[in-house]
Amino acid sequence: PGIAVVVVHTGRDVGPVSAVPQAQEVALLPGTVLYTGRFLQVAGHTIELIEQLMPTDDQQWASQLTNDAVAQLMRAVATTITNAQGQTPPVDPAYCARFAVPIA
């Protein structure tokens, strides 16, 4: 269990066709490149920042997040964590568990 923040640039909101729109699901296209393994301390929690990398003109994959953007994002995450403490999750955790199974 943990908290991950996923930043995508080309994801598609599937809420309008979802059976559980509160889950705020986003679909990613095949071939989407994600950068993982970036961990930050926020509000007493370890947060994994997962970012979609974008191709550059020379066909390399690059981050689009600046240090200022990451700092702003983590402030928003800290506020969200603080506001969520003691609240009932808006979506049944069993529904969300399907996203957290190991891929073999």
Side-chain angles (χ1 to χ4, degrees):
I3 301 172
V5 174
V6 183
V7 177
V8 296
H9 305 284
T10 61
R12 299 295 184 260
D13 177 11
V14 296
V17 295
S18 175
V20 184
Q22 312 86 293
Q24 300 178 0
E25 295 172 76
V26 175
L28 301 178
L29 294 172
T32 299
V33 176
L34 299 174
Y35 174 58
T36 62
R38 189 173 177 183
F39 295 92
L40 304 164
Q41 292 299 313
V42 179
H45 299 273
T46 300
I47 307 296
E48 182 173 11
L49 177 57
I50 300 170
E51 179 189 2
Q52 178 183 356
L53 299 180
M54 299 301 292
T56 62
D57 291 338
D58 59 353
Q59 302 306 310
Q60 300 295 312
W61 295 101
S63 170
Q64 302 294 306
L65 290 178
T66 64
N67 288 338
D68 288 340
V70 171
Q72 182 178 2
L73 178 61
M74 291 303 109
R75 285 191 297 273
V77 170
T79 299
T80 301
I81 290 170
T82 299
N83 292 342
Q85 290 179 356
Q87 300 295 316
T88 302
V91 178
D92 181 356
Y95 177 80
C96 295
R98 69 190 182 112
F99 300 111
V101 295
I103 298 174

